[in-house]
Amino acid sequence: MNNITVVGSGVMGRGIAYVSAVGGFSVTLVDVNQSALKNAEAELNTIFEKSLSRGKLSNEEAQQAKSNLQFSSDLSSAVSAADLVIEAVPEKESIKQQVFEVLEQYAPADCLFATNTSTMSPTEIASYAKRPDKTIAMHFFNPVHKMPLVEIIRGLETSNETAEAVRKAAERMGKETVVINEFPGFVTSRISALVGNEAFYMLQEGLGTPEEIDKAIKLGLNYPMGPFELVDLVGLDARLNNLNYLHEKLGEKYRPAPLLEQYVKAGRLGRKSGRGVYDYTKDKELVKK
């Protein structure tokens, strides 16, 4: 396996493209939105510069990785010679279905399909194309170039060969892996969603401030980030979407906290919007409820 096409140039897609290029793959990052693609290219250059300045990459390694990267707005052409396609579009069924229908039409017959998702069913996503044995989920974590794990989730008909090939590809990207069987929320999203949602219930009940709750979780349970710091990083809207899905599939314990729903309705989506649980426009001071 040498050629990887990453579909979607958002935070996750460009991060996946980065680690793939550093891992020595020939990578094409695809997005139909030219402006988003330009922004991704600029952000990737920034990541390369930081990696150089921090000694994570040598100048030669950075130049080689950059030469491995291409950018395209033509999905059908970009997947025509791909060995592996990693879809990293938003977690919406209709968007993923559109992408996979194009992949099935234009990707080589032996190309493997992976969906980057934190909750959605790889079995269902595989049904959008006609190669369920060659379809799998790869759950990358944000920020991709820093987080060590890729959670690999087999669908109902995913072959052993596909699972092994994708595991090796992830390891070549410098990642640790776990390979698990599909069940809603997988391992990490089920636990993270429960902890994060319970933190919102605590905040709603007046148990403590976000800073106090985050500090208690970090120092008392040895978490690297508090639940509010984490949700501001991943996006409150993304967390709410995950909880709604898990609530539908797994029941009442995943019902989203009303306060989380209010924050999303107010546009407080986290770091990406400047305000979430914390206010990133005012030296990260707490935004009062």
Side-chain angles (χ1 to χ4, degrees):
M1 181 184 296
N2 188 55
N3 298 318
I4 292 180
T5 297
V6 180
V7 185
S9 68
V11 171
M12 298 306 295
R14 61 191 182 229
I16 295 167
Y18 173 85
V19 296
S20 298
V22 171
F25 292 101
S26 178
V27 184
T28 303
L29 180 59
V30 183
D31 201 304
V32 295
N33 186 321
Q34 289 278 9
S35 177
L37 205 57
K38 288 291 185 185
N39 289 339
E41 187 170 2
E43 179 60 27
L44 281 166
N45 285 331
T46 298
I47 296 174
F48 277 116
E49 289 170 6
K50 288 181 178 179
S51 295
L52 275 168
S53 66
R54 293 170 181 169
K56 302 293 185 182
L57 293 176
S58 67
N59 188 62
E60 183 180 353
E61 289 170 334
Q63 291 304 315
Q64 180 60 56
K66 284 184 179 181
S67 72
N68 291 339
L69 270 171
Q70 295 182 336
F71 302 86
S72 175
S73 58
D74 185 347
L75 178 58
S76 58
S77 175
V79 302
S80 62
D83 299 312
L84 170 65
V85 177
I86 304 175
E87 165 270 308
V89 301
E91 296 270 67
K92 293 181 184 281
E93 180 181 332
S94 59
I95 301 176
K96 289 184 183 287
Q97 182 169 357
Q98 290 173 7
V99 169
F100 271 79
E101 287 173 349
V102 174
L103 299 184
E104 178 60 35
Q105 185 175 358
Y106 293 100
D110 59 351
C111 180
L112 306 182
F113 294 167
T115 176
N116 175 59
T117 178
S118 58
T119 54
M120 295 180 70
S121 163
T123 300
E124 181 176 359
I125 291 170
S127 73
Y128 304 150
K130 298 177 181 178
R131 53 186 90 181
D133 60 317
K134 293 181 170 64
T135 303
I136 202 164
M138 298 179 76
H139 179 198
F140 289 84
F141 296 81
N142 184 27
V144 177
H145 64 291
K146 293 182 179 179
M147 297 294 282
L149 181 68
V150 174
E151 194 175 25
I152 298 171
I153 305 95
R154 300 172 58 126
L156 180 65
E157 298 181 58
T158 303
S159 70
N160 292 334
E161 292 77 13
T162 295
E164 181 62 13
V166 168
R167 183 189 65 79
K168 287 181 177 178
E171 289 180 349
R172 186 172 160 186
M173 296 173 193
K175 301 301 182 184
E176 296 286 342
T177 63
V178 293
V179 181
I180 61 173
N181 296 316
E182 176 188 338
F183 201 81
F186 318 143
V187 173
T188 55
S189 291
R190 285 176 69 177
I191 297 297
S192 180
L194 275 177
V195 172
N197 200 39
E198 188 63 25
F200 266 100
Y201 276 114
M202 291 177 182
L203 183 60
Q204 181 177 296
E205 294 157 2
L207 186 148
T209 67
E211 291 168 322
E212 290 165 336
I213 294 169
D214 273 349
K215 185 176 181 180
I217 296 298
K218 286 190 292 185
L219 300 184
L221 300 181
N222 203 30
Y223 279 35
M225 297 180 71
F228 296 123
E229 293 171 328
L230 179 59
V231 77
D232 273 358
L233 178 63
V234 303
L236 277 72
D237 52 341
R239 171 59 55 78
L240 181 59
N241 286 340
N242 288 350
L243 281 166
N244 282 331
Y245 177 81
L246 292 171
H247 179 226
E248 176 188 348
K249 298 295 184 182
L250 299 178
E252 279 302 301
K253 64 183 176 180
Y254 289 97
R255 180 182 291 277
L259 183 61
L260 170 60
E261 295 179 315
Q262 288 179 339
Y263 277 28
V264 172
K265 288 176 182 177
R268 290 168 58 168
L269 307 182
R271 287 178 178 270
K272 61 187 176 184
S273 69
R275 298 179 70 193
V277 181
Y278 298 105
D279 186 350
Y280 299 91
T281 66
K282 298 178 181 178
D283 298 323
K284 301 183 181 179
E285 290 175 0
L286 175 65
V287 177
K288 302 298 183 183
K289 291 195 292 178

